[in-house]
Amino acid sequence: MGLNPLFLGTDILFMKYIVTLALIASNICSLAADHAAWTHQQRLSVSQTGLHRVELDPALLDASVMNLGDLRLLSPTGVEMPYVLLTPTLPKLHEEDAKGLKQTLEGQTTQLEFQLSGSKPVNLLRFGTSDSTFIKAVTLEASRDGSDWQKLAENVILCRQVGFQKMELALPADTWRHFRLRVEDSRTEPVVFTGVHAVGELEQRQVLPHTTRIVAREEKDGSTLLRLDLGAQNLPLASLRLITPESVFDRAASTSLHGIKKPIFRLQYEGHHAEDVELHLNESSATRQITLTIDNGDNPPLKLDSVELTRHALPLLFQADAAGEWRLLVGNAQASAPSYDLAKMASDLRRAPATSIRAAPLEPNPEFRQEATLPATNAGSDEVKLDTSAWRWRRVILPAKKDMRVFRIDLDDHALTHAQADGSDLRVIAGEDTLVRHLMLQSGKTTMAAAEFDSQPDAKRPKISRWRLTLPLAGLPVEALHLTTSSTLFERSLTAYEMEKDPRTGQQRSRQLGYAFWKSTPDAPQAKIRLELNQRPHSAEIWLETDNGDNPLLQLTQAELEKPVVSLLFEAHGNEKPLHLLYGNAKAVAPQYDIALVRDRFEKTTHVATQLGDAEALSPAPPARDSHSGSPWLWAAMAVVVLGLLWVVARLLPKA
């Protein structure tokens, strides 16, 4: 019996996959390693060898701390094996323009006929027209051979309005070749159609419903903000659909995933309706929550019952060389994303036959050990002593228990104010003088704090509005002021400054810190403004001024301080000595620690937040001295010079 060449080619191609997979697996069999740094696992029951497929579930995705970069597959013998993730891709499309477009008027109906010449299935028709505003009820019929017709859509709406349009008709995917479109013209003038474009997806992507819930809703500046709880992170989201009882609306919506606004609408017309209330996301969410924003404009907020989400299926393929219990591991922030040769075959393996298996529920990894997640820097292997006599401030680091963890210190106002601006004098010590190596994190992030302020009108300048802001500490590094007003129509220039002593005259003078232009109108209200400070304050008071001219005085209702976020990371390594933070040494040089070479490990691992105790002064502050009074040595040198000149003059004078 002869062999079918088609099946013979398929078998040869599949055997090539198997041989390649076997070679890759044989090269990795010697890579057995300790997997105690992974927190969770899922068991896979494999009953036979060969290519297997398992769908990754939301629980596994949520446990991953690196967006699946920490995902590992272990054989029954504990050896790491290669796999390939079939991540969602854009579908391959078949597109063609309709031929033989014919439009005729039959009483109060427009009849549109057209054909497709291709042999591939289509599932969407896009209609083109030069008319700018219309609403039409249409009925669509299609046939494969031109004789057997099927009604695919009846009394649905095609429309084009200001801000939105619906010029597409979805249909069951099939090799439709002949079409008839009947357009109702009894109420409005006929529309001239200029073309029809057909689209078909050659590969269907599997999507699954995903439960979500609205955990918060806020109406702000004409928009509705909804915070949605996805229940898991790292989900490959497909689409989002709004469920609303509203019968007619026109809005724009966006999500925090990409921020692109999309028109959403619902239209009622002569007992029929058209709508587009779905957002195509096609993006993975790195967080468990996303924000949906609906722009309402001048309309009342849109009523919403719920939100429906779908996600893409995410299959994992692997070649099992033995039957038994396989395992998937996730939850290791120190892991690096693997690079398997098998990933190069992903496009071919999408169509390869594979045995589908289901993963057991997610469970803790019984081999997990906390110490395995540390950066492994041997930071406690030796001791370096530090002479602390030049440091001004010491703070105890809480909690007192120092097991093997990576700790994080967030500097508070006192530390930010009295430490050097570049952090060169920051030190962590154990006991009295044992140095603990640390890393400083300055990510550019900031934090907000309310500021005390009061109005300080100037009787000599009645048109000037003036406020005084009081800082928690003199010299606090404030990056910007956030101001809120109750005024609605204004245009002002704001100046931020502080008062200081002029060293030459001894009089008070102003030192400008920042400047901003603030404008608010009913069409473009701006109740808040960020005034950036381009110089660090020296005192504990910041003054604000603006000239109102002949207008009402500008009113401030709230002021906030924007401060930098500075953190330190360090390992305790079971040290029982109390830990302290030192700062306040202007002569200190920034330390150079070898652990900077593994900074990424410190940043990826789980951090244990600590707190700082009360500030303890280690040495008296140096006496304040006027920098313009001069050094004593300078005065002594000047006295010597003056005496020398007097002696020379005395020698030159004639004797009495």
Side-chain angles (χ1 to χ4, degrees):
M1 179 182 295
L3 293 176
N4 188 321
L6 177 61
F7 287 98
L8 180 60
T10 303
D11 290 342
I12 293 176
L13 183 63
F14 182 62
M15 288 301 298
K16 182 181 72 172
Y17 295 156
I18 298 303
V19 171
T20 304
L21 292 172
L23 289 175
I24 295 175
S26 64
N27 291 333
I28 301 183
C29 281
S30 61
L31 299 180
D34 180 11
H35 292 91
W38 277 259
T39 59
H40 291 81
Q41 70 173 15
Q42 274 189 327
R43 303 176 188 271
L44 307 176
S45 180
V46 176
S47 59
Q48 60 184 6
T49 60
L51 191 63
H52 287 69
R53 174 190 180 109
V54 58
E55 302 284 351
L56 302 187
D57 58 27
L60 181 77
L61 301 179
D62 186 51
S64 172
V65 293
M66 291 183 57
N67 196 12
L68 295 182
D70 56 344
L71 179 62
R72 297 295 186 269
L73 173 69
L74 302 185
S75 69
T77 58
V79 176
E80 180 181 335
M81 302 296 288
Y83 63 83
V84 59
L85 277 179
L86 302 184
T87 54
T89 58
L90 293 176
K92 294 182 179 180
L93 302 178
H94 162 68
E95 300 185 63
E96 62 174 302
D97 292 323
K99 308 296 183 182
L101 183 63
K102 180 181 178 182
Q103 183 169 339
T104 59
L105 295 177
E106 299 178 0
Q108 296 182 334
T109 303
T110 297
Q111 186 79 16
L112 194 69
E113 297 181 1
F114 54 93
Q115 297 82 38
L116 299 178
S117 57
S119 59
K120 296 180 180 179
V122 296
N123 61 353
L124 185 71
L125 298 177
R126 295 195 181 104
F127 296 88
T129 178
S130 58
D131 291 54
S132 59
T133 304
F134 63 89
I135 302 174
K136 294 291 184 180
V138 302
T139 298
L140 178 68
E141 295 179 298
S143 172
R144 301 179 186 87
D145 53 11
S147 59
D148 183 17
W149 292 88
Q150 296 186 32
K151 188 175 293 185
L152 303 182
E154 184 175 12
N155 289 328
V156 298
I157 287 181
L158 293 180
C159 63
R160 177 174 287 170
Q161 298 289 300
V162 177
F164 67 90
Q165 66 176 6
K166 183 179 181 296
M167 297 298 295
E168 298 178 347
L169 290 180
L171 51 149
D174 208 333
T175 55
W176 309 108
R177 292 294 162 263
H178 304 270
F179 296 87
R180 294 192 303 222
L181 183 73
R182 189 170 67 252
V183 184
E184 178 62 43
D185 295 328
S186 60
R187 297 294 184 90
T188 57
E189 293 294 325
V191 172
V192 177
F193 291 91
T194 57
V196 182
H197 189 71
V199 180
E201 292 187 5
L202 301 181
E203 295 182 357
Q204 296 292 326
R205 294 182 294 177
Q206 183 184 3
V207 296
L208 305 170
H210 184 79
T211 302
T212 186
R213 61 191 183 93
I214 302 174
V215 295
R217 175 169 181 158
E218 180 184 3
E219 305 297 336
K220 182 178 180 182
D221 299 332
S223 298
T224 300
L225 280 67
L226 300 174
R227 193 163 75 248
L228 308 179
D229 185 6
L230 308 178
Q233 61 183 356
N234 304 319
L235 294 176
L237 300 178
S239 65
L240 182 151
R241 185 178 181 84
L242 305 179
I243 307 302
T244 172
E246 301 274 7
S247 58
V248 177
F249 60 87
D250 175 20
R251 303 285 195 276
S254 62
T255 67
S256 55
L257 291 178
H258 42 62
I260 301 176
K261 293 184 179 181
K262 178 185 180 298
I264 56 172
F265 70 92
R266 178 173 291 162
L267 176 66
Q268 297 286 350
Y269 177 72
E270 296 183 352
H272 313 299
H273 82 280
E275 67 176 23
D276 186 356
V277 293
E278 186 171 314
L279 278 69
H280 298 286
L281 305 176
N282 296 322
E283 193 165 339
S284 179
S285 173
T287 59
R288 296 172 61 91
Q289 293 186 349
I290 62 173
T291 301
L292 172 65
T293 303
I294 303 174
D295 293 339
N296 298 305
D298 297 327
N299 304 291
L302 192 66
K303 297 178 181 178
L304 284 174
D305 293 335
S306 61
V307 173
E308 292 182 352
L309 272 179
T310 62
R311 59 179 175 86
H312 293 287
L314 190 57
L316 179 145
L317 267 67
F318 67 97
Q319 173 69 17
D321 58 357
E325 184 179 83
W326 291 60
R327 291 190 297 158
L328 291 173
L329 298 179
V330 289
N332 181 5
Q334 300 290 349
S336 299
S339 178
Y340 300 130
D341 293 337
L342 189 61
K344 302 175 183 178
M345 304 171 59
S347 58
D348 296 324
L349 289 174
R350 290 180 186 275
R351 298 184 295 274
T355 302
S356 294
I357 59 175
R358 293 178 62 88
L362 188 73
E363 61 182 3
N365 178 16
E367 301 175 5
F368 174 73
R369 299 192 312 274
Q370 179 65 48
E371 59 270 19
T373 66
L374 295 176
T377 61
N378 296 322
S381 59
D382 56 357
E383 289 188 356
V384 177
K385 300 298 183 179
L386 175 69
D387 181 5
T388 64
S389 60
W391 267 262
R392 166 68 174 147
W393 299 101
R394 181 172 68 179
R395 308 277 295 278
V396 66
I397 300 174
L398 306 172
K401 184 179 180 181
K402 308 301 184 297
D403 52 359
M404 296 187 69
R405 295 288 192 275
V406 173
F407 290 86
R408 186 187 78 247
I409 305 173
D410 296 327
L411 302 189
D412 59 10
D413 288 349
H414 191 276
L416 289 174
T417 302
H418 293 92
Q420 297 300 303
D422 59 356
S424 58
D425 59 338
L426 293 169
R427 298 292 188 275
V428 178
I429 61 170
E432 294 297 324
D433 55 2
T434 302
L435 194 64
V436 177
R437 287 163 284 191
H438 72 270
L439 291 174
M440 186 169 70
L441 301 181
Q442 289 180 302
S443 61
K445 296 181 179 179
T446 57
T447 183
M448 305 293 295
E452 297 182 4
F453 72 99
D454 58 336
S455 178
Q456 293 286 326
D458 188 347
K460 297 180 180 180
R461 299 182 298 164
K463 296 183 178 181
I464 301 296
S465 291
R466 190 172 63 161
W467 301 269
R468 178 179 59 190
L469 280 69
T470 304
L471 305 184
L473 292 170
L476 181 69
V478 178
E479 294 189 356
L481 304 177
H482 290 251
L483 309 173
T484 305
T485 179
S486 58
S487 303
T488 57
L489 180 62
F490 62 89
E491 185 177 29
R492 301 286 190 276
S493 295
L494 276 176
T495 301
Y497 64 93
E498 67 177 353
M499 301 304 296
E500 64 177 6
K501 184 179 180 181
D502 190 329
R504 292 172 298 181
T505 65
Q507 302 296 320
Q508 290 290 315
R509 69 177 183 181
S510 63
R511 173 174 173 261
Q512 183 170 317
L513 303 177
Y515 175 87
F517 178 75
W518 199 356
K519 179 180 178 180
S520 180
T521 65
D523 295 332
Q526 188 178 359
K528 296 183 178 182
I529 191 174
R530 179 181 183 270
L531 194 157
E532 183 176 356
L533 302 185
N534 44 39
Q535 296 193 70
R536 178 172 173 170
H538 293 161
S539 64
E541 293 181 345
I542 297 179
W543 293 81
L544 287 172
E545 274 194 13
T546 185
D547 189 343
N548 298 290
D550 298 324
N551 302 292
L553 300 181
L554 184 66
Q555 303 296 324
L556 284 188
T557 57
Q558 186 180 13
E560 293 179 296
L561 307 176
E562 181 180 341
K563 302 176 295 184
V565 174
V566 180
S567 303
L568 304 183
L569 299 181
F570 65 93
E571 287 182 286
H573 279 275
N575 199 327
E576 295 301 327
K577 299 178 181 179
L579 297 177
H580 292 88
L581 175 67
L582 302 180
Y583 53 87
N585 182 358
K587 296 182 179 180
V589 179
Q592 302 293 328
Y593 297 137
D594 291 336
I595 60 174
L597 300 174
V598 289
R599 172 180 288 271
D600 59 333
R601 296 186 182 181
F602 274 86
E603 294 179 352
K604 288 179 181 178
T605 194
T606 302
H607 305 151
V608 178
T610 64
Q611 294 180 348
L612 293 173
D614 295 336
E616 175 188 357
L618 294 180
S619 58
R625 179 170 51 87
D626 189 353
S627 60
H628 296 270
S629 61
S631 169
W633 294 104
L634 177 61
W635 286 108
M638 292 180 64
V640 171
V641 171
V642 170
L643 291 176
L645 290 174
L646 291 175
W647 180 81
V648 171
V649 171
R651 292 293 302 269
L652 293 176
L653 290 175
K655 296 182 178 180

